Amino acid sequence: MSKDGGATCFKWWLLCCALLLLPALVALGCWQLQRAAEKRQMLQAWNDDSRVIHHLQALGPDSADFVPAQLQGHLLPDHWLLLDNRTRDGRAGYEVVAFMPAEEALLPVNLGWMAASPDRSVLPEVELPQEALFDGRMHRLQGSLVIGEDVWDAGWPKRVQALDEQRLRQELGQDVLPWVLDLTEPVVAGLRVDRHQALMKPERHLGYAFQWFSMAAVLAGLVLWHGWNLRSRGGEFDA
């Protein structure tokens, strides 16, 4: 094969790859638009105060995520978790999760975020409130992506990567409700309770969608230009 023939074959191969990549870029842009729509729905649910739960018995399998709740109760003393690798404003920290007794089960309560010490061996101290009104939003307890093995050390508090319902039952010796109460009003001084508002911004996904669609548009333009170039030269690319 001549040098010119090899170059033409290589450019044909690049064109085929571009044609395969183009729908992938468009699909990624559409997926980001879908995520933006989901975030708008989450924000709408978060800002909907038309129904407030005052008793956990009001929760059912059809209950919506982020329903507002105001629960009077207390927390298990000396039993709480530090959800690791949670950041605020670029700073590493923990989300503090304690447990509220509810009949024969326990309700995880996300008390908020606190900064981590630069020394990983030093765990923060938290003074859990006793009887209090816990004002927040309910969401279902779901598994999270964990990088590496999530080792739960003995003793309390435990630094963990994610909430795991089965492991919580084993460690606490009680049933755990499949819900988490994320506080919107702090009950522990120094803890930030702005977690979900920061995660729900649809503008971020719209920005990502614009990037994917822009790359798709540029790639489509290059494909069309090379296709026109190929046709005008009778099947051979301009070297």
Side-chain angles (χ1 to χ4, degrees):
M1 181 182 294
S2 66
K3 180 178 180 181
D4 290 341
T8 299
C9 290
F10 178 71
K11 290 179 180 180
W12 266 110
W13 180 80
L14 287 179
L15 181 60
C16 291
C17 289
L19 290 173
L20 292 175
L21 181 60
L22 184 59
L25 293 175
V26 173
L28 287 170
C30 292
W31 176 66
Q32 290 294 340
L33 290 179
Q34 180 182 355
R35 291 290 294 151
E38 292 173 354
K39 292 297 179 68
R40 290 194 193 96
Q41 293 178 352
M42 292 169 64
L43 278 174
Q44 183 178 1
W46 185 271
N47 295 320
D48 183 8
D49 295 328
S50 59
R51 179 191 177 197
V52 180
I53 289 178
H54 297 282
H55 303 284
L56 291 174
Q57 291 82 351
L59 285 174
D62 298 329
S63 297
D65 275 342
F66 307 116
V67 61
Q70 292 180 341
L71 303 176
Q72 188 75 30
H74 66 281
L75 301 175
L76 287 183
D78 304 322
H79 287 72
W80 43 282
L81 302 175
L82 296 169
L83 292 183
D84 201 5
N85 299 319
R86 269 54 176 184
T87 60
R88 295 291 186 280
D89 303 325
R91 187 175 181 183
Y94 307 105
E95 288 178 10
V96 181
V97 177
F99 303 94
M100 178 189 298
E103 295 184 353
E104 297 181 357
L106 299 173
L107 172 68
V109 180
N110 190 326
L111 301 174
W113 179 90
M114 67 188 312
S117 169
D119 186 353
R120 291 279 297 176
S121 65
V122 178
L123 296 181
E125 296 182 2
V126 177
E127 184 175 351
L128 298 180
Q130 297 181 357
E131 188 75 16
L133 177 64
F134 298 93
D135 194 343
R137 302 273 175 164
M138 305 292 300
H139 74 86
R140 286 175 173 80
L141 177 59
Q142 298 176 337
S144 303
L145 177 64
V146 176
I147 301 176
E149 185 179 0
D150 189 7
V151 179
W152 290 32
D153 295 328
W156 297 88
K158 298 180 184 295
R159 180 166 52 200
V160 303
Q161 301 295 321
L163 296 179
D164 184 292
E165 186 177 352
Q166 182 177 356
R167 294 182 73 172
L168 287 174
R169 288 198 301 266
Q170 294 174 352
E171 294 290 341
L172 294 165
Q174 298 185 55
D175 286 336
V176 176
L177 295 175
W179 291 87
V180 179
L181 175 60
D182 287 318
L183 296 190
T184 54
E185 297 295 332
V187 296
V188 178
L191 296 189
R192 292 175 55 177
V193 292
D194 57 349
R195 172 179 181 263
H196 281 290
Q197 296 93 322
L199 295 177
M200 289 182 190
K201 295 180 179 179
E203 293 80 8
R204 177 183 300 178
H205 295 284
L206 292 176
Y208 291 151
F210 177 78
Q211 293 177 3
W212 289 120
F213 286 136
S214 296
M215 287 188 285
V218 171
L219 184 60
L222 291 173
V223 169
L224 290 175
W225 184 84
H226 281 294
W228 175 84
N229 183 50
L230 175 65
R231 182 177 180 182
S232 64
R233 295 181 176 274
E236 291 186 0
F237 282 101
D238 184 7

